[in-house]
Amino acid sequence: MKDLDDAMQCHKDILLLLPSGDPHRPITLVNLAICFQDRFLKGGGDMEDLQQAIQFLRDSLSLCPPDHSDRSASLHNLGISLTNRYLALGALDDLEESIQCKRDALSLCAPNHPDNASISSSLATSLDYRFHMYGQLQDLDEAIQCCRSALEGHLFNNVDRAGYLGSLASCLRTRFNRLRNSRDLEEAIECVRDELNIYPPGHPNIDSSLTTLANCLHDSYDHKGDPKYLEESIQCYRDVLLLQCSGNPSRWLTLSHLARCLVHHYEKDGTIQHLEEAIKCNQEALSLCPSGHPERGSLLTLRAQFLHIKSHNAEEITSLFEMATDHKPAHAKSRLDSALSWIRKAKGDSLVRAFERALNLADQYLLIRSSISSRHRLLPSIPFTLAPDAAAVAIAAGDVKKAVEFLEQGRSLLWSQMGRYRTSIQALQDVDPGLAEEFGKLSAQLEASAIPQMSEMPHLSMEDEDRKYRQVNDAWMEVIEKIRKLQNFGNFLLPPSFNDLRKAAEQGPVIVINLNVERCDAIIIRQSDDPLLVPLSFQAEESVRLWDSFTTALRSEEPSKKITGVLRCLWDDIVEPIVRKLQEIGIAQGSRIWWCPTSFLTTLPLHAAGPYRKNKDNLPDIYISSYTPTLSALVRSFQTNQFSQATPDKSSTDPRLLVVAQPNAPGQVDIPSVRKELQVLQRVVPSIDILLEENGTRAAVLAGLQTHSWVHLMSHGSKDVEDPLKSSFHLYDTSLDLIDIIQARLDNAEYAFLAACHSAAAYLDRPDETLHLAASLQFAGFKSVIGTMYAMADEDGPMLAQEVYKFMFRDVERGEGQSRGVVRYTDAAKALNLATKALRENNVPVERWINFVHIGS
């Protein structure tokens, strides 16, 4: 250290001798900064040294105009220092700025510049760190390409090449953990072994290289199960600790890694000494890790897991998990993982609290990304049974209301988050107009980020978009906290309480069905009474079997008999016990009921369940069924906004029906019955506007949706299995995607009939997200929607439309050139019930008439 201190003093002396405008002053500041940075890394991690290095580098940069020869060195070293500060303190802005600095430094170097390789390798390291934060594969792929570029410029075995091999090894290991390609891990181990072979004894980078090798070997053990990898990994970590002095800023991380390996060793052979040493390493790591470091939460979680293995005091374990999940500097995904670990270890009241924390953190985790599509890509990281599992635990604890709240909070996450940006601020304007205006502006910016097509701003780089989004989102959250301090606004944008959710039963009971591996329950929600619990004998695995039977039957040549068997199973195990309870509490025959199923039950036709035997009523004969993706969505559908044509009793005076008729969209099979269905509509509906064939363009349809409260759409519908956000209706010139519909604000929308295939089709991988076209129309503003669960038979459209509209316009009297009377969009459910009955009476097979469903009010 004395040599380093002497070098620092020399550079300080040189600075004193250089006048303010001297051309050598920038590089001298860079050299001095490097000394301070080296002392931070090797001399105990004093943050003051690192802060001083960053300041010197900023001073140097201020003296370097864009064409200055030392600007690249200033930028690169500033990027390195900011990366180190990110590692020490976890500030995301430091990581983002470090990436930008390194990009700028690289852009200033000619292709054959000697610093190209080192800057590329350094940029790769920062991109790798950012991948760990956000999970964007393009960051990782770019990092690996930067490493390979650096190696191409250094073909000889020297210490520089060794460093580039280490960077490549780290990035390949990261990609292995994402994509599970064994070749990535094998190449990573080859690279880091080559790196270690290059370094001479005593080289300062040996400890970091050994750490990378240990990490790779530990991954190999997890992947292949061969204990030799675990043994070598443990030895590497021990060797690293011998090289790291007591004040080394990375020592706590090495101790944490060693603790994890030792626990795996204990789990393999049961040697208690391994567990004891793991606990000791973890405790020392906690004592060394800065209190505000993002990884401290992971250390607390690890300690809780170790103590659980030893059957330690449950209260201390719970306290550790609570601290870990509440550790604000940690990344939301890390906190969510801690909550999921807590769930696996907890019992009783602690388990309910663990689920509550996990549901909150799942929401926060998705919000790290700005766009709805990128949030959708994060969904697989969240267990899709999280909300149903939480509800099952609450039910077992005797708190049915909490179960309802859990289900509402943890399902349809993407719709819920988008809905917050459109929260009504009318009441807030009466109390604090300035705060209401600020909330509205920030919400509009966040919605534009969520749906990039909405933004008219020039396209920004991913770094700039992320930085802007975080700034706006932070400001939005600050405004929300201010709003919550106002009288009567304490619950503003908090997860809805049961008292809020019970408003969904305004027009009739809502039946929430929770499906969990341990139990299946129906919860009947009524507007004024406590929820009723109806335990069911149905099993979670049975829903998968029924779904498989149902979809197999639909593809068969004679599906009716098999589908009837599915409907009987649904009746016997689920629907019939619920109907009995509804009848017990006085819900009269012919009343409306709403279904809100969870998990795989969202894919099955509950509305059509029945015994299907002579002289026995099926569900459509007893009640009029509708669906709702969430209780909140149903509450919103009952609300009449200021732009609606409907009166408070949901009636309208002769609304004009927009008809989109596309019988032969380019690239699609013709739909012959569309013209026949159009003739039916012209005959039955008094007021109608038509967009037929070439007039049915995307722009014309979107414009028509803005000016019509009722719409009937006849076209091909497609379900994108890989990306449901790309599901669409096929129009004359292009498609109308789900995203197009989401971004529309249809203030006067009331009713939509989607005579298109798959318009209300659930997705098996995330069934509780209800990402289908009908749900997008409901989100955009339509309160009452008729859709299809799968591909519809072309010939059913005309008869169904005739029966639906004959009932809905039953009170309208036609005159010469005009009509009188009222219609109600809330009649759509009963109209559909009567229409499908007409199909049955005309001997339409069961698989065709059960396809049609009603969603909303």
Side-chain angles (χ1 to χ4, degrees):
M1 293 298 295
K2 184 178 183 305
D3 289 344
L4 185 58
D5 290 338
D6 290 344
M8 291 172 67
Q9 189 57 54
C10 287
H11 289 305
K12 288 179 181 179
D13 292 342
I14 293 172
L15 276 175
L16 291 174
L17 296 174
L18 294 174
S20 59
D22 192 283
H24 297 97
R25 192 171 180 85
I27 197 63
T28 305
L29 285 165
V30 170
N31 292 332
L32 181 57
I34 291 172
C35 291
F36 273 93
Q37 183 165 239
D38 285 348
R39 190 165 72 176
F40 165 77
L41 293 172
K42 302 169 185 176
D46 185 347
M47 282 303 301
E48 187 56 39
D49 282 341
L50 187 56
Q51 303 286 27
Q52 191 68 66
I54 291 171
Q55 187 56 56
F56 283 138
L57 289 164
R58 293 196 189 282
D59 291 344
S60 173
L61 199 57
S62 70
L63 299 175
C64 297
D67 58 347
H68 197 285
S69 60
D70 295 328
R71 185 171 179 82
S72 177
S74 300
L75 284 164
H76 182 206
N77 282 283
L78 178 57
I80 293 171
S81 294
L82 289 167
T83 302
N84 286 327
R85 189 166 71 180
Y86 162 74
L87 293 174
L89 302 178
L92 284 174
D93 285 344
D94 282 342
L95 180 59
E96 296 290 0
E97 188 181 358
S98 78
I99 291 172
Q100 191 58 54
C101 285
K102 293 173 185 179
R103 286 197 196 283
D104 291 346
L106 197 59
S107 70
L108 294 173
C109 295
N112 59 349
H113 194 283
D115 290 341
N116 256 351
S118 61
I119 299 173
S120 294
S121 179
S122 181
L123 175 59
T125 300
S126 295
L127 290 167
D128 187 28
Y129 290 142
R130 189 168 70 179
F131 170 80
H132 283 286
M133 294 302 296
Y134 296 128
Q136 294 280 63
L137 269 175
Q138 58 260 46
D139 275 344
L140 193 53
D141 290 339
E142 183 185 356
I144 290 172
Q145 184 55 49
C146 284
C147 291
R148 296 198 190 281
S149 296
L151 285 168
E152 287 172 4
H154 277 75
L155 302 179
F156 300 102
N157 285 342
N158 55 34
V159 291
D160 289 335
R161 179 174 174 80
Y164 307 151
L165 285 166
S167 296
L168 178 58
S170 295
C171 294
L172 288 168
R173 174 188 174 244
T174 301
R175 191 166 70 180
F176 163 77
N177 284 317
R178 172 67 177 268
L179 303 179
R180 310 305 290 178
N181 185 333
S182 297
R183 179 58 196 145
D184 279 340
L185 187 58
E186 291 165 3
E187 186 182 358
I189 292 174
E190 290 173 10
C191 285
V192 75
R193 290 196 191 280
D194 289 345
E195 177 191 12
L196 284 165
N197 287 333
I198 293 173
Y199 286 134
H203 193 278
N205 289 353
I206 289 178
D207 62 338
S208 62
S209 302
L210 280 171
T211 299
T212 302
L213 178 58
N215 291 338
C216 291
L217 292 167
H218 192 193
D219 290 342
S220 292
Y221 170 71
D222 287 339
H223 187 53
K224 299 179 179 179
D226 190 335
K228 72 179 183 183
Y229 294 116
L230 182 61
E231 297 287 353
E232 187 179 358
S233 176
I234 290 173
Q235 187 56 54
C236 285
Y237 286 130
R238 294 193 193 283
D239 292 343
V240 172
L241 288 173
L242 292 175
L243 294 171
Q244 291 176 334
C245 62
S246 58
N248 189 294
S250 299
R251 185 175 175 83
W252 65 268
L253 190 56
T254 306
L255 287 162
S256 174
H257 289 320
L258 178 57
R260 291 178 189 274
C261 286
L262 289 167
V263 164
H264 283 160
H265 211 313
Y266 163 76
E267 292 170 345
K268 180 175 70 72
D269 62 13
T271 303
I272 194 65
Q273 289 88 344
H274 289 141
L275 178 60
E276 297 290 353
E277 186 182 356
I279 293 173
K280 182 179 178 182
C281 287
N282 173 259
Q283 185 62 42
E284 185 180 351
L286 272 169
S287 69
L288 295 175
C289 181
S291 59
H293 196 282
E295 289 299 318
R296 186 170 181 82
S298 298
L299 293 177
L300 291 165
T301 299
L302 201 59
R303 179 159 183 77
Q305 293 170 336
F306 293 166
L307 296 181
H308 182 268
I309 293 172
K310 291 193 69 177
S311 300
H312 200 73
N313 181 278
E315 289 185 5
E316 183 180 355
I317 293 171
T318 297
S319 177
L320 287 166
F321 276 124
E322 286 183 328
M323 286 190 290
T325 55
D326 197 41
H327 187 60
K328 298 296 191 297
H331 186 256
K333 180 60 167 62
S334 176
R335 294 169 66 194
L336 174 60
D337 288 342
S338 295
L340 297 176
S341 296
W342 183 6
I343 287 170
R344 290 189 287 269
K345 310 298 181 187
K347 295 180 181 178
D349 290 342
S350 175
L351 183 55
V352 174
R353 298 201 324 261
F355 271 113
E356 191 163 23
R357 189 65 59 86
L359 288 168
N360 286 329
L361 291 169
D363 182 75
Q364 292 180 34
Y365 169 54
L366 293 183
L367 290 174
I368 67 172
R369 304 302 305 161
S370 61
S371 72
I372 188 172
S373 57
S374 59
R375 292 174 194 170
H376 177 256
R377 289 193 292 271
L378 293 180
L379 281 173
S381 301
I382 303 171
F384 79 90
T385 62
L386 182 61
D389 291 347
V393 166
I395 291 170
D399 195 342
V400 179
K401 293 180 180 179
K402 175 62 73 176
V404 174
E405 292 171 353
F406 277 164
L407 285 171
E408 190 70 15
Q409 184 180 356
R411 301 172 65 247
S412 293
L413 291 170
L414 300 182
W415 294 125
S416 174
Q417 291 173 347
M418 289 294 296
R420 288 173 220 163
Y421 302 145
R422 298 188 180 183
T423 299
S424 173
I425 56 175
Q426 191 170 352
L428 181 61
Q429 284 174 328
D430 295 337
V431 176
D432 192 325
L435 210 53
E437 182 181 7
E438 189 176 2
F439 174 79
K441 286 181 178 179
L442 292 170
S443 295
Q445 291 180 54
L446 290 174
E447 185 174 352
S449 296
I451 309 174
Q453 296 96 315
M454 293 179 61
S455 178
E456 297 179 358
M457 298 293 291
H459 179 69
L460 301 174
S461 68
M462 186 174 68
E463 292 91 341
D464 288 339
E465 284 180 353
D466 286 341
R467 188 179 298 111
K468 180 183 176 183
Y469 167 72
R470 285 199 306 275
Q471 290 171 349
V472 175
N473 192 59
D474 289 346
W476 188 67
M477 292 303 300
E478 289 176 8
V479 170
I480 290 172
E481 288 302 317
K482 292 178 182 177
I483 294 172
R484 288 175 183 164
K485 292 177 182 178
L486 298 175
Q487 188 174 1
N488 299 325
F489 284 87
N491 294 325
F492 186 74
L493 288 191
L494 288 177
S497 67
F498 179 79
N499 284 336
D500 296 322
L501 298 172
R502 73 193 319 161
K503 296 173 185 175
E506 173 187 318
Q507 300 296 325
V510 182
I511 302 102
V512 177
I513 306 177
N514 189 55
L515 191 62
N516 168 262
V517 292
E518 299 292 333
R519 60 186 299 152
C520 180
D521 301 275
I523 303 171
I524 300 175
I525 298 172
R526 300 169 290 174
Q527 187 176 20
S528 303
D529 300 302
D530 286 340
L532 288 175
L533 183 69
V534 184
L536 302 171
S537 59
F538 194 72
Q539 300 294 319
E541 59 268 23
E542 182 70 2
S543 67
V544 180
R545 188 189 69 78
L546 281 178
W547 174 83
D548 184 62
S549 298
F550 183 57
T551 53
T552 301
L554 288 174
R555 295 191 298 268
S556 66
E557 292 184 1
E558 297 182 356
S560 296
K561 185 176 181 180
K562 295 176 182 178
I563 286 178
T564 300
V566 171
L567 297 176
R568 285 173 178 159
C569 287
L570 290 173
W571 174 258
D572 293 339
D573 295 338
I574 298 176
V575 175
E576 195 269 341
I578 296 170
V579 168
R580 280 204 316 267
K581 180 60 71 173
L582 290 172
Q583 292 171 337
E584 285 177 17
I585 62 176
I587 306 300
Q589 186 162 338
S591 298
R592 290 192 64 185
I593 62 173
W594 280 263
W595 297 97
C596 186
T598 65
S599 191
F600 295 113
L601 289 179
T602 61
T603 67
L604 295 170
L606 293 169
H607 63 283
Y612 289 87
R613 293 183 177 88
K614 191 175 182 180
N615 299 323
K616 294 284 187 179
D617 285 338
N618 302 314
L619 181 61
D621 304 313
I622 305 170
Y623 293 122
I624 298 168
S625 291
S626 296
Y627 288 92
T628 184
T630 63
L631 299 176
S632 297
L634 188 55
V635 171
R636 287 192 297 272
S637 76
F638 288 138
Q639 296 169 346
T640 303
N641 64 47
Q642 58 183 322
F643 301 101
S644 176
Q645 299 177 24
T647 61
D649 69 349
K650 313 298 188 289
S651 65
S652 302
T653 302
D654 190 17
R656 296 191 69 80
L657 179 69
L658 173 68
V659 177
V660 180
Q662 196 55 252
N664 48 10
Q668 302 294 317
V669 177
D670 287 356
I671 314 175
S673 67
V674 164
R675 293 184 181 278
K676 184 177 179 181
E677 188 171 342
L678 178 58
Q679 293 171 359
V680 168
L681 295 174
Q682 290 173 312
R683 185 172 64 251
V684 178
V685 180
S687 303
I688 188 170
D689 292 325
I690 302 169
L691 294 175
L692 177 64
E693 297 181 343
E694 67 272 13
N695 294 316
T697 63
R698 176 178 174 273
V701 171
L702 286 172
L705 291 176
Q706 293 288 343
T707 56
H708 292 76
S709 59
W710 288 39
V711 62
H712 187 103
L713 191 148
M714 298 174 283
S715 75
H716 278 291
S718 65
K719 171 184 175 181
D720 193 310
V721 178
E722 296 299 323
D723 185 356
L725 296 173
K726 295 180 181 177
S727 297
S728 61
F729 298 112
H730 295 281
L731 303 178
Y732 181 77
D733 58 341
T734 184
S735 60
L736 182 69
D737 295 342
L738 185 145
I739 286 287
D740 296 326
I741 299 168
I742 291 175
Q743 74 183 62
R745 284 180 176 267
L746 307 177
D747 294 320
N748 67 340
E750 294 174 359
Y751 160 82
F753 189 137
L754 308 179
C757 299
H758 309 291
S759 58
Y763 285 78
L764 197 61
D765 57 342
R766 303 298 299 195
D768 283 325
E769 283 302 306
T770 55
L771 291 171
H772 50 63
L773 292 162
S776 70
L777 279 162
Q778 189 181 36
F779 174 81
F782 284 95
K783 303 173 184 303
S784 182
V785 183
I786 292 174
T788 56
M789 296 182 69
Y790 42 89
M792 67 176 283
D794 178 34
E795 59 268 35
D796 292 338
M799 180 184 292
L800 194 78
Q802 175 172 303
E803 296 301 322
V804 165
Y805 292 109
K806 185 170 69 174
F807 179 78
M808 295 188 77
F809 286 90
R810 66 194 181 282
D811 294 328
V812 176
E813 297 179 4
R814 291 181 183 241
E816 292 186 7
Q818 61 180 2
S819 56
R820 293 179 302 165
V822 296
V823 294
R824 296 173 177 83
Y825 60 81
T826 51
D827 283 343
K830 186 172 183 179
L832 180 62
N833 180 274
L834 293 172
T836 54
K837 183 178 180 181
L839 292 180
R840 282 182 284 162
E841 291 172 349
N842 280 272
N843 298 315
V844 171
V846 63
E847 67 273 9
R848 283 163 51 183
W849 67 261
I850 69 171
N851 185 17
F852 300 96
V853 294
H854 178 263
I855 299 170
S857 61

